[in-house]
Amino acid sequence: MGARRGRGTVAVEVLGTGDEILRGDSRDSNFARIASRLTAAGFEVAGGRVVGDDLGALVDALRAAAGRARAVIVTGGLGPTPDDLTRDAAAAAAGRRLAVHGPSLRRIRALWRLRGLPMPGGNARQAEVPRGARVIPNPLGSAPGFSLRLGGATAFCLPGPPREMEPMLERSVLPALRRLAPSRPPARTLHASCCGLPESAVAERIADLMARDRAVRVGTTASEGVVTVSVHGAGDAAREAPRVHREVLRRLGAECYAPERVPPGENLVRLLLARGLTAATAESCTAGLAAARMADLPGSSGAFLGGVVAYHDRVKTAALGVPRALLEAHGAVSAPVAEAMARGARRRTGADLAVAITGIAGPGGARPGKPVGLVWFAVASAAGVVSVRRRFGGGRALVRSAAANAALDLLRRTVEGREVR
Amino acid sequence: MGARRGRGTVAVEVLGTGDEILRGDSRDSNFARIASRLTAAGFEVAGGRVVGDDLGALVDALRAAAGRARAVIVTGGLGPTPDDLTRDAAAAAAGRRLAVHGPSLRRIRALWRLRGLPMPGGNARQAEVPRGARVIPNPLGSAPGFSLRLGGATAFCLPGPPREMEPMLERSVLPALRRLAPSRPPARTLHASCCGLPESAVAERIADLMARDRAVRVGTTASEGVVTVSVHGAGDAAREAPRVHREVLRRLGAECYAPERVPPGENLVRLLLARGLTAATAESCTAGLAAARMADLPGSSGAFLGGVVAYHDRVKTAALGVPRALLEAHGAVSAPVAEAMARGARRRTGADLAVAITGIAGPGGARPGKPVGLVWFAVASAAGVVSVRRRFGGGRALVRSAAANAALDLLRRTVEGREVR
C-alpha cells in the first residue's frame, strides 16, 4: 500500500496496546491524533493495529508492522505495572536485552521526591529501554519513550496517555521522521470550523468541492454541534489547497466561526481578548459546561469572569434574581427565564456580555410543547437582551454539549455584530 | 494469542476500513463498541486493525486476520462509491466472484422510490456480494452485510455507520458467533473505581493479584485522577473473579469509591440521592467542570442544586461573599479563600454540602510557594468547613479535570463520614 500510493512518502504504521482497549473498556484516542498529525505533516499512515497486553502478540505485531512500513509508532505499555510490556516486546523483536537508562531513573526518583511520596518498586522499570535504543524524553510524565531499528524500519515507542504522547510526537518523532525522508512531497491540510448548521447542510454548500475525483480532498466531520471541514492536498495538489479553502470559507460565510480547527470556547475567548470585552455565563441544563470551555484557554481570565450554575430553580432566583413569578408563569425552559438569567449574570458579574442556557437535556422532563432537546438561550449586552430557541437530538450528553457550544457561538455572533439566531 | 489465552473461547479479529480514519479526519468508534459487546458476551477480541480504501491492503488484512482468529468482523467499505472496496476485497480473499443478490437489489430500488429520487448508478453495487456468501440484512440502511468462509475463519462484513452496524451485530453476528462455539466458556468482568491515589500506588496494593500468571486478570487504567481496576476471568476463572474482586475492594478500602466502573460525579449524585442530601459547588480554576459532572446523571437535580463559577476574584467577592481583605492577605489560592468560597456557596444555595476549588491550572500564574498544579479544596457542611491542598501534574487540562474529580471525591468522603484528605 505504501508502495502503491506513497511514492517518496514515508509510510507509517501505528500500533496501540492494552487489554482495556481490546475489551472495549477504554478507547484508543491516540490513533486519530497521530494519524491527523502525520497526514498534515505529509506522511502516509499505512495502517493501524491494536493488540492486548500479550508479549507474543506484541512481538508479532511489531515485526509485521516493521515489515510493512518505514516507521512504526507504538503507544502504551510503558507504565510501571506488570501488564506494561512494550519495553520487553520491543527488545524481543529487535533481539536485544533491556538496560536501565541512568538519567531516566534519576528523573523518575526526583519526580517521586517532588510528590513527597516513596517510589513504588515497579516504577524503576520505567527507566529500562532496549540496549541500543535512543531515549525520547517525556517532559510531562515519568516513562521515557525510545526509538530503535527493527529490520528496515524505525520503531518509536511512546506512552499511552495522550497528554504525554503528543508533545513527544511533536518534539521528537516528527523531526526524526522528517530526517528519514528529507525530500518527501509537500502536503497541506487546512480547516474551517462551523457551529449552527447540521453536517449535511454544510456538506450541501460545498458538495461539488467534496467530489471524490478532485485533486484537493474536502471532507467534513461533526462533533457536538461543531462541523469541521478539512481541505487536504498532497503532492501537486498541495499548492491548490489554499484556493479551495478560501472557496469553502466564502460558501460558509457567518456559519464559519474560524478558518482553522479550534474549539468554539477557545475561539470566543481569543475574540473577546482582542476586543477588550468580558463575558459571563448563566447555565441550567449545561451546568457549567459553557463556563468550563471558556476557561480552557490559558489567560482566559482576562475575558471570562465567571458565572452561575443555576441547576435548581431556587438558585435561579437566589443567585440570578430570576423572579419566582416568571418561573411559575413560563416554566424554567422559556424565553423570559433565559432572558432574566442572562441579565442577572451580567449584572452580578459586571461583565460586558452574558449568555444564559436553559433546556431539557432529557431523557425525562419533557412537557407538552417542551420536548426533550429544547433549549432556550439568551445573550445580554449593553444593547439589551436577545433570546433564541434551538432543538438538539442525540441523548442527554450530546444535547448538553451541543447546547454549550451553541451558547458560545451566540456570544461570538454578538461580538461580531452578526444576527443571533 | 487466542490460543494462549482463549482455550475454548472464540477469538475474534476486528477490521475497520477507510482513508478518512487513516488520515485522522474521522474516528473509528466501531472498534470499541464491538469489543465491549463481544467481551460481555464471552468472546475474546484478539486484535484490531484499520486499513485504508486500498484493495491490496484490504485483502492482506483480511487474510492475516482470518489466519489469527476464528472470526473476523469488518466494518465499512460497503457504500456505493468507488472507494468502497470491502465486497471486492472479501471476494478476492476468498477466491470468489461477486454476484448480484436479487432481493437486496429490489430493496435498494424500493428505498430510492420511497425517497422519490432516481437511484444513482453506483448504488446497484451495494447489492453485490461474493458468491456463496450469506447475506446479513441491514434494517436501517441500504447496504446489506454478508458473511463468508475465509480459510478456517468466518468473516462478517458490516456497514460502517454505527447505527446500521450495531443492530446487525446484535441480531445476526452475535447469534452466528454463538453457533460457532455453542459450549464457549463463561466470562466475567468486574471493576472498582478509585480517586485520590496515583495509579502506581493502587497497583502496589494489589501487585500480587496483578501478576501475569494468575488465571483471573487484574489490570488498572488511569484517567484524570480516577484509577479503574478491572478483574476479568474467562473459562474456569470466571467463577473466581468475584472472589478476587472482593479482595481488590478490601485492599483499596476508602480509596475505592465504587465497586464498579462509574464516574465520580455520577456515583456521588447517587449517594446524595440515597441519603437525601443536596450539594453545591464554588469553582475557580475548574470553572464549572465539577458542577457539569454532577449534572451528568439524569435526575441529578434532586441532589445537585447548582453553584458559582468564580473565575475572576471580583466574582468570588460579589457572588460568594469572599471578603476582599482575605483575597489580598492570602491570595485566591489559599485555605482561607477556599473555605470562604465553600461557605458562601452553601449559604447562597441552601445546600447541605458545598465544595470549593481554587488552584493554579497553569501554565502561567505560579507564585513563590504556589506552583502550577497547586489546588486548595474546601468542603462546607453543617459540621463546619474542612480544607485540603493537593498538587496535580500534567498540564492545564489535566490539572483542571483531576481537580474536579478530586472535589467530587471529597464530597463523597464527607458524605460517607470518612476522613477528608
Side-chain angles (χ1 to χ4, degrees):
Chain A
M1 181 170 163
R4 192 187 70 84
R5 295 192 179 172
R7 267 169 311 195
T9 72
V10 172
V12 183
E13 283 272 337
V14 180
L15 180 58
T17 66
D19 280 350
E20 70 282 6
I21 299 174
L22 284 195
R23 281 200 304 264
D25 277 353
S26 111
R27 281 175 190 229
D28 174 23
S29 62
N30 286 326
F31 181 82
R33 289 166 202 257
I34 293 171
S36 170
R37 200 56 199 89
L38 291 184
T39 302
F43 299 101
E44 183 210 345
V45 178
R49 180 150 174 81
V50 179
V51 294
D53 299 320
D54 177 288
L55 193 61
L58 274 165
V59 172
D60 288 351
L62 271 168
R63 285 187 178 146
R68 277 190 298 258
R70 286 272 301 279
V72 183
I73 299 178
V74 187
T75 59
L78 297 182
T81 65
D83 55 357
D84 290 304
L85 294 166
T86 298
R87 287 174 290 261
D88 306 79
R96 294 174 181 271
R97 284 164 181 276
L98 288 173
V100 171
H101 182 246
S104 293
L105 183 59
R106 286 192 288 278
R107 188 167 168 279
I108 293 169
R109 288 205 169 117
L111 284 171
W112 281 91
R113 269 198 305 275
L114 260 177
R115 296 189 202 171
L117 295 170
M119 184 174 97
N123 287 63
R125 288 190 66 224
Q126 293 193 292
E128 293 179 6
V129 298
R131 277 184 202 281
R134 183 188 299 259
V135 165
I136 301 176
N138 177 354
L140 296 179
S142 52
F146 57 85
S147 66
L148 81 172
R149 293 293 297 174
L150 221 53
T154 303
F156 300 89
C157 299
L158 305 177
R163 70 187 180 86
E164 298 181 28
M165 182 280 290
E166 281 183 78
M168 297 168 76
L169 178 73
E170 212 60 45
R171 293 182 207 175
S172 301
V173 179
L174 281 169
L177 289 176
R178 288 191 187 102
R179 287 192 294 272
L180 282 181
S183 64
R184 74 191 185 287
R188 189 87 193 266
T189 306
L190 298 158
H191 295 95
S193 301
C194 306
C195 195
L197 275 186
E199 184 178 17
S200 57
V202 171
E204 204 172 22
R205 291 196 185 189
I206 54 174
D208 53 319
L209 306 174
M210 290 177 74
R212 296 285 300 178
D213 55 355
R214 293 234 172 195
V216 175
R217 302 285 292 264
V218 177
T220 60
T221 53
S223 176
E224 302 173 352
V226 172
V227 179
T228 307
V229 181
S230 67
V231 177
H232 179 74
D236 292 342
R239 251 177 312 154
E240 281 297 292
R243 194 187 53 75
V244 176
H245 184 241
R246 280 195 299 276
E247 179 61 15
V248 166
L249 297 178
R250 195 186 65 75
R251 305 253 189 111
L252 296 175
E255 309 300 334
C256 171
Y257 65 78
E260 60 187 317
R261 186 167 48 181
V262 60
E266 186 176 325
N267 178 69
L268 171 66
V269 169
R270 286 189 201 285
L271 182 68
L272 291 168
L273 289 169
R275 306 275 177 108
L277 293 169
T278 58
T281 51
E283 303 182 64
S284 184
C285 62
T286 50
L289 281 181
R293 288 178 191 173
M294 289 192 73
D296 280 345
L297 189 73
S300 51
S301 58
F304 174 59
L305 302 185
V308 172
V309 177
Y311 202 60
H312 196 285
D313 284 355
R314 192 201 295 175
V315 180
K316 293 184 182 76
T317 301
L320 290 168
V322 179
R324 206 169 299 178
L326 209 61
L327 286 160
E328 280 160 15
H330 303 277
V333 181
S334 63
V337 168
E339 292 176 9
M341 288 170 67
R343 272 193 300 259
R346 182 165 181 266
R347 195 173 52 240
R348 299 203 174 198
T349 59
D352 297 310
L353 299 156
V355 69
I357 310 165
T358 177
I360 299 165
R367 277 162 190 73
K370 294 192 178 175
V372 166
L374 174 71
V375 181
W376 273 100
F377 299 89
V379 177
S381 67
V385 186
V386 182
S387 57
V388 288
R389 60 172 276 167
R390 295 274 287 278
R391 174 101 188 262
F392 301 95
R396 182 176 179 85
L398 205 67
V399 168
R400 294 174 67 217
S401 183
N405 284 337
L408 300 170
D409 198 54
L410 292 176
L411 281 178
R412 187 266 306 180
R413 287 171 195 255
T414 306
V415 173
E416 289 182 345
R418 301 189 191 268
E419 191 190 354
V420 172
R421 58 166 190 85
Chain B
M1 178 171 163
R4 193 187 69 85
R5 292 190 182 174
R7 268 170 310 197
T9 71
V10 173
V12 183
E13 283 271 336
V14 181
L15 180 58
T17 65
D19 281 350
E20 71 282 6
I21 300 174
L22 285 194
R23 280 201 308 264
D25 277 351
S26 115
R27 281 176 191 228
D28 175 21
S29 61
N30 287 326
F31 181 82
R33 290 166 201 257
I34 293 171
S36 172
R37 199 57 199 87
L38 292 184
T39 302
F43 300 101
E44 184 210 345
V45 177
R49 181 150 173 80
V50 179
V51 294
D53 300 320
D54 178 288
L55 192 60
L58 275 165
V59 172
D60 289 349
L62 271 168
R63 287 189 176 144
R68 276 190 297 257
R70 286 273 299 282
V72 183
I73 299 177
V74 187
T75 60
L78 297 181
T81 65
D83 54 0
D84 289 306
L85 294 167
T86 297
R87 287 174 291 260
D88 306 80
R96 295 175 180 270
R97 283 165 182 276
L98 287 173
V100 171
H101 181 246
S104 293
L105 184 58
R106 286 191 289 279
R107 187 168 169 278
I108 294 170
R109 287 204 170 117
L111 284 171
W112 281 91
R113 270 198 304 276
L114 262 176
R115 295 186 203 171
L117 294 170
M119 185 174 94
N123 287 64
R125 289 189 66 225
Q126 293 192 291
E128 293 179 6
V129 298
R131 276 183 203 281
R134 182 189 298 259
V135 165
I136 300 175
N138 177 353
L140 297 179
S142 52
F146 57 86
S147 65
L148 82 172
R149 294 291 299 172
L150 221 54
T154 304
F156 299 89
C157 298
L158 305 176
R163 64 173 205 101
E164 298 180 29
M165 183 280 289
E166 281 183 79
M168 297 168 76
L169 178 72
E170 213 59 47
R171 294 182 206 174
S172 302
V173 179
L174 281 170
L177 289 176
R178 289 190 187 103
R179 286 192 296 272
L180 281 181
S183 63
R184 75 189 184 290
R188 189 88 192 264
T189 306
L190 298 158
H191 295 95
S193 302
C194 307
C195 195
L197 277 185
E199 183 179 16
S200 55
V202 171
E204 202 174 24
R205 292 196 185 188
I206 54 174
D208 53 322
L209 306 175
M210 291 178 74
R212 300 289 303 176
D213 55 354
R214 293 236 172 193
V216 175
R217 301 285 295 266
V218 177
T220 59
T221 53
S223 177
E224 302 173 352
V226 173
V227 179
T228 307
V229 181
S230 67
V231 177
H232 180 75
D236 294 341
R239 252 178 311 154
E240 280 297 291
R243 194 188 53 74
V244 176
H245 184 240
R246 281 194 299 276
E247 179 62 16
V248 166
L249 297 178
R250 195 186 66 74
R251 306 254 191 110
L252 296 174
E255 309 300 335
C256 171
Y257 65 79
E260 60 186 321
R261 184 172 51 182
V262 59
E266 186 176 324
N267 177 69
L268 171 65
V269 169
R270 286 189 201 283
L271 182 68
L272 292 168
L273 288 170
R275 308 274 177 109
L277 293 169
T278 58
T281 50
E283 303 182 66
S284 184
C285 62
T286 49
L289 280 182
R293 287 178 192 173
M294 291 192 73
D296 280 346
L297 188 73
S300 51
S301 57
F304 173 59
L305 301 186
V308 171
V309 178
Y311 203 60
H312 197 284
D313 284 354
R314 193 201 295 175
V315 181
K316 293 185 182 73
T317 300
L320 290 168
V322 178
R324 205 168 299 178
L326 211 61
L327 286 159
E328 279 161 14
H330 303 277
V333 181
S334 63
V337 168
E339 293 176 8
M341 288 171 68
R343 272 193 299 259
R346 181 165 180 268
R347 194 172 54 240
R348 301 206 171 194
T349 60
D352 297 310
L353 299 156
V355 67
I357 310 163
T358 177
I360 299 165
R367 278 163 189 70
K370 296 193 179 176
V372 166
L374 174 71
V375 181
W376 273 101
F377 300 89
V379 177
S381 67
V385 186
V386 182
S387 56
V388 288
R389 60 172 276 166
R390 294 275 287 279
R391 171 101 188 262
F392 302 95
R396 182 177 181 84
L398 204 70
V399 168
R400 293 175 66 218
S401 183
N405 284 336
L408 299 170
D409 197 53
L410 292 176
L411 281 178
R412 188 266 306 180
R413 287 171 194 254
T414 305
V415 172
E416 290 182 345
R418 301 189 191 269
E419 189 190 356
V420 172
R421 59 167 191 84

